[in-house]
Amino acid sequence: MPSRRQTVATLAGVLSAHVVSAQTDESYSSGALGAAPYSTFVSTNATPPLWNHVLPINDTIKPQLTSGLIFIGPRGTATHQAAPYIYNQTGELVWDGSLDGYTQTMAYSVQQYRNKSVLAIWQGQFNAGGYGSGYNLLLNETYQVVGNVTTDNLAGIGADIHEFKITSNNTALLTAYNATQLDLTSYEGSADGYILTSMYQEIDIATGASLFTWNSLDHVDPNECYVSPGSSGTQSLPWDYFHINSVDKDSKGNYLVSSRHCHTAYYIDGTNGAIMWKLGGKNSSFTGEGSEFYFQHDARFHANDTQVSIFDNGATSWETSEATARGLLIDLNYSNMTATLAAVAIPYYNLTVAESQGNVQIQENGNMMIGWGQNPWLGEHNSEGTPLWAAQFGVGDVQSYRAHRSIWNGYPTTLPSFVIQSNGSTTGYASWNGATEMAVWELLGSNDASAVVSLANTSAVGIFETNFTIPSSPSYSYYQVRALDSREFSLGYSNFISSSNDTVLPPAATQKPAVGAANATTVASSASSQATGSSSASTSGAGTTKRASLLVTISAVITACLCAS
Ligand SMILES: *[C@@H]1O[C@H](CO)[C@@H](O)[C@H](O)[C@H]1NC(C)=O
Ligand SMILES: *[C@@H]1O[C@H](CO)[C@@H](O)[C@H](O)[C@H]1NC(C)=O
Ligand SMILES: *[C@@H]1O[C@H](CO)[C@@H](O)[C@H](O)[C@H]1NC(C)=O
Ligand SMILES: *[C@@H]1O[C@H](CO)[C@@H](O)[C@H](O)[C@H]1NC(C)=O
Ligand SMILES: *[C@@H]1O[C@H](CO)[C@@H](O)[C@H](O)[C@H]1NC(C)=O
Ligand SMILES: *[C@@H]1O[C@H](CO)[C@@H](O)[C@H](O)[C@H]1NC(C)=O
Ligand SMILES: *[C@@H]1O[C@H](CO)[C@@H](O)[C@H](O)[C@H]1NC(C)=O
Ligand SMILES: *[C@@H]1O[C@H](CO)[C@@H](O)[C@H](O)[C@H]1NC(C)=O
Ligand SMILES: *[C@@H]1O[C@H](CO)[C@@H](O)[C@H](O)[C@H]1NC(C)=O
Ligand SMILES: *[C@@H]1O[C@H](CO)[C@@H](O)[C@H](O)[C@H]1NC(C)=O
Ligand SMILES: *[C@@H]1O[C@H](CO)[C@@H](O)[C@H](O)[C@H]1NC(C)=O
Ligand SMILES: CC(=O)N[C@H]1CO[C@H](CO)[C@@H](O)[C@@H]1O
């Protein structure tokens, strides 16, 4: 946390960063604000990529959206701080995972584990060949690690970057890549060549034991795929003939696997790994427009397995197959084996193909939430494919493997961050990384860091950092803030900050921290920050009740939102 004695110059820098966020779309899109504009704050070191709502959410669109927060994992060479992030629908920061020690991620999403929401975050080593080896951490609503899932019995090869999905049986689906020696002369390669096999496992999360392991080389001949070895096929750069990037499982216990380099989604028998049908590619079991996609990602079953959604990249870095990437919802007809297009989402803006990454998340109301992969864009289309809103979160090399919307209620066990700055008047800055239920900041004063006097309340709904003037009279030796939710439940107290020097004292023993967690279930239904309807500020009404005689009016300020109206 920055010292309260930040210089005026630093403060000016911060303020100018906020001014930046208020500039027009064009200056962001054109790159005039840099390759990766980001926000800064006074009370924390968070530096989240700033959004530019190129197709803003208007009042007509709002009722067509479902609730939830937005989950992206910005990465790429221009990204100021690669990490898992949570934003609200309008691009306001909710959680910067780097402040909790998390770094660059790919598979990152909210999942259900034992009937509770967990945040699943892949962490590990990236391989220049486009895969990785690591593990998936499961965080509960208090951001504490409750699971750590990787491969089982794969001789040191850890969980790959591309997939982590928890099934309804509390098992996890994850991918893995292994280099193996193979005579590649039948595939335009050398006799002492090396090939990458794509594997996936189903893991019992509680025990870590694998229940199922599948290896692409056992079932898919490299000739079925589209990417020849080229300059790869060596020990240092093995031939990635299959490139697995998603795994889903249906109610019948069979798997759906996306192979980017075979342009195919494989339906795999959950008992023996045999391929039951193929959608797309050279030997598609289905005919029709729904079986034509290129270098795709994120194949998921829907509608009792009669539909599949796919992110069709339309390209890879060395080959372009289509005019644009597409979000696809495909109807599968098993009686005559036809695949028809139920919905196609095309980026309305200047985006074309996505050379890598990307996803389609079908919302409860049928909307398609799309992360455009290597392009720093995300957006939502209705069930007919019409764009509803779109935002960019970078201009240069900023990417997010996937983009999701999910309900998430966060009750951090860290203390709220509170900083006081004097620059003529005295201003307090408060934020709480990952707290989603916070509606009101209460300012408290104390002379001995125990007996506290309530001084003022200020609305905090939807805002990551709130600033407010600290009254000059009567003055106190220490100030503190308390976070309250919309029902005035106490969520937590900050440290006491001295008004005259750098002294920081912990909350008093009587100020039990993070009580919100105890009320997580009851409070969840009142969550306001995830609403999509018009201003949610009214829900803070109860929290703005006068709490003390010294109530002063304090205006909340939106500090880092680039919300074009
Ligand atoms: C989160 O996990 C921690 C560590 O296991 C546990 O102490 C805490 O009670 C859990 N919190 C919730 C809300 O489940
Ligand atoms: C998770 O497991 C990996 C090994 O797979 C280990 O390196 C890592 O430290 C663990 N992390 C946590 C937070 O448990
Ligand atoms: C990975 O490939 C090597 C070399 O062929 C092989 O020895 C090893 O068993 C493979 N590992 C797995 C988990 O299949
Ligand atoms: C869950 O387990 C049951 C019983 O083993 C099985 O029939 C079902 O297919 C499994 N479902 C998934 C999604 O793994
Ligand atoms: C789902 O499809 C199967 C046939 O594949 C059918 O037996 C089952 O009744 C369907 N379930 C629902 C809920 O429609
Ligand atoms: C396949 O069957 C569906 C109805 O079940 C029909 O609408 C469609 O025209 C058929 N397609 C072909 C190519 O026969
Ligand atoms: C899209 O392209 C047009 C024409 O090149 C340009 O005027 C416009 O600013 C671009 N829009 C974005 C969001 O980049
Ligand atoms: C709201 O946004 C939608 C989607 O961009 C657009 O079609 C519509 O014209 C907009 N409505 C208004 C009133 O701006
Ligand atoms: C997101 O936060 C902003 C504050 O920057 C707020 O105005 C907006 O209402 C919030 N959006 C939602 C959907 O809660
Ligand atoms: C809060 O900060 C903004 C600049 O981001 C400034 O315009 C506003 O006056 C500040 N409000 C208070 C009460 O300090
Ligand atoms: C710092 O301020 C606190 C109260 O504001 C005071 O009690 C303490 O003596 C001060 N410490 C120093 C080193 O001046
Ligand atoms: C510790 C705490 O804040 N507990 C609250 C949980 O919610 C109930 C109402 O449902 C309050 O009465 C408690 O004070």
Side-chain angles (χ1 to χ4, degrees):
M1 198 165 83
S3 151
R4 59 168 284 275
R5 298 205 158 212
Q6 280 185 320
T7 63
V8 171
T10 309
L11 177 60
V14 167
L15 291 177
S16 66
H18 294 154
V19 172
V20 162
S21 72
Q23 300 208 1
T24 61
D25 296 355
E26 288 72 23
S27 56
Y28 188 120
S29 307
S30 70
L33 305 182
Y38 59 91
S39 304
T40 58
F41 303 92
V42 178
S43 58
T44 89
N45 293 324
T47 53
L50 194 59
W51 288 22
N52 178 25
H53 267 276
V54 176
L55 182 60
I57 297 169
N58 61 34
D59 288 341
T60 315
I61 293 304
K62 268 182 197 165
Q64 299 176 42
L65 309 181
T66 55
S67 303
L69 299 172
I70 306 291
F71 296 75
I72 55 174
R75 49 190 292 272
T77 53
T79 311
H80 187 255
Q81 178 63 63
Y85 289 89
I86 308 175
Y87 292 85
N88 87 358
Q89 176 68 77
T90 38
E92 180 75 6
L93 181 66
V94 171
W95 184 64
D96 174 344
S98 73
L99 297 180
D100 287 352
Y102 301 106
T103 59
Q104 183 176 187
T105 190
M106 286 211 9
Y108 164 54
S109 60
V110 173
Q111 303 273 335
Q112 299 302 309
Y113 178 51
R114 293 179 166 159
N115 299 319
K116 287 195 169 137
S117 294
V118 291
L119 201 52
I121 305 171
W122 180 88
Q123 297 281 268
Q125 299 298 315
F126 284 80
N127 184 296
Y131 56 99
S133 177
Y135 49 89
N136 297 277
L137 296 175
L138 307 185
L139 275 52
N140 67 8
E141 290 188 327
T142 49
Y143 297 91
Q144 290 166 286
V145 175
V146 295
N148 185 356
V149 191
T150 189
T151 55
D152 176 39
N153 203 21
L154 287 190
I157 301 164
D160 167 53
I161 51 184
H162 289 96
E163 183 63 286
F164 185 79
K165 161 129 193 194
I166 299 182
T167 73
S168 50
N169 286 352
N170 297 314
T171 61
L173 305 173
L174 48 78
T175 51
Y177 282 67
N178 189 29
T180 183
Q181 214 166 354
L182 192 72
D183 180 349
L184 300 180
T185 45
S186 332
Y187 313 108
E188 302 168 20
S190 68
D192 60 343
Y194 283 81
I195 191 166
L196 276 178
T197 61
S198 282
M199 294 183 284
Y200 72 84
Q201 288 195 314
E202 180 168 357
I203 302 286
D204 179 339
I205 295 175
T207 65
S210 58
L211 306 173
F212 189 87
T213 300
W214 190 86
N215 185 326
S216 65
L217 267 186
D218 295 340
H219 301 277
V220 180
D221 187 286
N223 276 327
E224 184 164 299
C225 306
Y226 292 86
V227 176
S228 55
S231 60
S232 77
T234 61
Q235 188 164 13
S236 59
L237 188 59
W239 177 32
D240 184 9
Y241 88 100
F242 188 89
H243 199 88
I244 191 169
N245 58 23
S246 73
V247 187
D248 200 5
K249 194 178 186 194
D250 71 5
S251 55
K252 300 175 199 74
N254 301 320
Y255 302 97
L256 185 68
V257 166
S258 167
S259 160
R260 172 165 161 84
H261 290 173
C262 309
H263 302 179
T264 304
Y266 292 92
Y267 187 54
I268 291 167
D269 188 318
T271 61
N272 60 18
I275 291 166
M276 300 170 75
W277 51 250
K278 303 170 188 179
L279 176 65
K282 289 182 184 166
N283 299 307
S284 181
S285 314
F286 293 86
T287 57
E289 285 182 323
S291 61
E292 289 164 28
F293 41 80
Y294 303 85
F295 302 104
Q296 83 288 343
H297 284 80
D298 200 30
R300 306 279 164 203
F301 275 126
H302 304 282
N304 193 22
D305 315 330
T306 62
Q307 289 185 321
V308 168
S309 61
I310 280 178
F311 182 77
D312 176 13
N313 291 69
T316 183
S317 59
W318 60 84
E319 189 177 323
T320 299
S321 316
E322 294 176 90
T324 67
R326 303 180 301 163
L328 302 180
L329 185 63
I330 301 162
D331 281 327
L332 298 182
N333 187 309
Y334 296 105
S335 56
N336 58 17
M337 295 306 275
T338 55
T340 48
L341 293 173
V344 180
I346 304 280
Y348 91 99
Y349 32 80
N350 296 349
L351 277 190
T352 57
V353 296
E355 288 183 2
S356 69
Q357 307 164 93
N359 76 305
V360 173
Q361 182 198 17
I362 306 295
Q363 309 287 292
E364 271 173 29
N365 63 1
N367 285 357
M368 305 165 90
M369 174 80 193
I370 300 185
W372 295 98
Q374 192 167 315
N375 310 297
W377 292 78
L378 74 164
E380 188 166 357
H381 298 244
N382 70 13
S383 59
E384 275 142 30
T386 307
L388 299 175
W389 63 271
Q392 61 185 141
F393 51 92
V395 181
D397 182 15
V398 182
Q399 325 174 4
S400 180
Y401 178 56
R402 290 172 179 165
H404 290 113
R405 179 197 280 115
S406 299
I407 298 284
W408 175 253
N409 302 296
Y411 304 90
T413 54
T414 54
L415 302 183
S417 299
F418 180 45
V419 164
I420 298 172
Q421 286 189 334
S422 295
N423 179 23
S425 64
T426 305
T427 307
Y429 295 83
S431 64
W432 202 1
N433 194 37
T436 61
E437 309 312 302
M438 198 174 54
V440 173
W441 285 114
E442 180 184 15
L443 177 67
L444 303 158
S446 175
N447 284 323
D448 59 3
S450 64
V452 295
V453 178
S454 178
L455 301 176
N457 284 346
T458 188
S459 167
V461 174
I463 301 166
F464 184 75
E465 180 175 83
T466 306
N467 63 336
F468 40 83
T469 301
I470 295 184
S472 54
S473 172
S475 71
Y476 290 86
S477 303
Y478 295 97
Y479 292 94
Q480 182 190 43
V481 287
R482 168 157 77 146
L484 302 162
D485 74 11
S486 62
R487 298 194 209 168
E488 253 192 87
F489 293 155
S490 185
L491 295 169
Y493 291 86
S494 74
N495 286 319
F496 288 97
I497 307 296
S498 164
S499 54
S500 57
N501 60 43
D502 287 337
T503 306
V504 173
L505 298 173
T510 51
Q511 298 176 332
K512 298 278 182 244
V515 293
N519 271 312
T521 315
T522 50
V523 171
S525 60
S526 73
S528 57
S529 56
Q530 303 176 46
T532 51
S534 50
S535 173
S536 48
S538 59
T539 56
S540 68
T544 51
T545 309
K546 285 190 184 184
R547 305 184 60 79
S549 55
L550 286 170
L551 185 81
V552 297
T553 303
I554 291 171
S555 61
V557 171
I558 297 168
T559 53
C561 179
L562 188 64
C563 322
S565 51

